[in-house]
């Protein structure tokens, strides 16, 4: 049975492999990452990669989902400190402005979404992250009186994902440009699908 020092070293190596995997997904693309590449970047032997993870794919999945979950969970305090739905939107968009669509985090998101279209296990894990964020956002929107909070949260979340993707091609899709458009989604009046008259 490994002692405390060995356990600490094991956790450190595992954490380093996860960090390296997230970096390589963004740099090389999901399908281009190999055991040798991971081992060389992390400064370990290839055998240690498979000691800590059942496969390269399992390592990439844990690295990507963990990184994405960390970013999404970091939005929680922003949502809590917002006094209005509009402030919550502005804070989320300001966070988005830290990314230009070609930075490592944006590329990690893009690569993971693409890989999830071909991998049911990854898709389910990614869906859990997205659903948790949408649920949290919907709860805040409901508390602030926004109409149809669940549907509104789903559309706002999709819009933010889309903006991250499009920023690589349209850099002027910044918070000041898109906030007025997205604020229209936060109307507190239920919109009727029928007309009277």
């Amino acid at each position: 049975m490994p002692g405390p020092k060995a356990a600490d070293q094991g956790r450190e190596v595992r954490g380093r492999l996860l960090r390296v995997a997230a970096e390589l997904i963004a740099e090389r693309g999901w399908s281009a990452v190999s055991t040798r590449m991971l081992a060389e970047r992390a400064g370990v032997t290839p055998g240690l990669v498979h000691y800590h993870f059942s496969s390269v794919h399992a390592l990439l999945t844990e690295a990507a989902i963990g990184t994405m979950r960390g970013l999404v969970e970091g939005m929680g305090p922003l949502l809590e400190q917002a006094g209005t739905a509009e402030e919550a939107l502005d804070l989320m968009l300001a966070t988005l402005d830290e990314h230009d669509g070609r930075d490592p985090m944006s590329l990690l998101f893009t690569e993971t979404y693409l890989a999830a279209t071909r991998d049911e296990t990854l898709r389910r894990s990614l869906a859990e992250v997205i659903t948790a964020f949408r649920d949290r956002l919907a709860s805040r929107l409901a508390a602030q009186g926004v109409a149809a909070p669940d549907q509104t949260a789903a559309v706002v979340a999709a819009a933010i994902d889309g903006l991250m993707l499009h920023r690589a091609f349209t850099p002027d899709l910044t918070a000041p440009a898109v906030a007025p458009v997205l604020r229209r989604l936060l109307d507190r009046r239920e919109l009727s699908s029928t007309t009277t008259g």
Side-chain angles (χ1 to χ4, degrees):
M1 182 172 178
K5 186 174 180 182
D8 288 343
Q9 289 174 338
R11 280 191 292 272
E12 192 278 328
V13 168
R14 196 173 198 284
R16 196 183 333 151
L17 285 167
L18 288 167
R19 287 190 299 276
V20 163
E23 291 170 6
L24 288 171
I25 291 168
E27 289 174 21
R28 303 295 181 94
W30 193 280
S31 60
V33 181
S34 67
T35 300
R36 177 176 292 180
M37 199 181 294
L38 286 158
E40 286 177 1
R41 175 74 65 92
V44 300
T45 63
L48 271 180
V49 176
H50 292 288
Y51 174 79
H52 288 284
F53 299 92
S54 60
S55 66
V56 169
H57 183 74
L59 168 53
L60 297 180
T61 298
E62 187 171 335
I65 295 299
T67 302
M68 295 171 82
R69 183 177 287 118
L71 179 68
V72 167
E73 288 176 354
M75 290 274 196
L78 290 180
L79 295 176
E80 296 301 323
Q81 74 185 36
T84 66
E86 290 78 11
E87 284 178 17
L89 176 63
D90 289 344
L91 288 167
M92 287 187 291
L93 291 175
T95 300
L96 185 65
D97 273 357
E98 297 171 10
H99 306 282
D100 65 7
R102 293 170 293 179
D103 61 282
M105 186 63 77
S106 297
L107 293 172
L108 176 72
F109 267 72
T110 301
E111 287 289 336
T112 304
Y113 274 117
L114 180 60
T117 64
R118 300 180 177 92
D119 181 325
E120 182 61 24
T121 302
L122 177 59
R123 190 194 68 76
R124 284 195 303 270
S125 296
L126 184 54
E128 288 175 7
V129 174
I130 294 167
T131 300
F133 173 68
R134 290 197 320 211
D135 288 348
R136 192 162 194 173
L137 178 57
S139 176
R140 291 300 295 159
L141 296 180
Q144 292 159 346
V146 173
D150 291 335
Q151 295 91 335
T152 303
V155 172
V156 168
I160 288 173
D161 280 348
L163 286 168
M164 184 179 273
L165 177 64
H166 281 250
R167 287 284 293 282
F169 311 103
T170 316
D172 58 350
L173 285 174
T174 58
V178 302
V181 178
L182 292 181
R183 279 194 197 107
R184 294 177 203 148
L185 298 173
L186 305 179
D187 195 331
R188 287 166 177 75
R189 297 165 296 167
E190 284 287 355
L191 301 178
S192 174
S193 60
T194 61
T195 57
T196 58

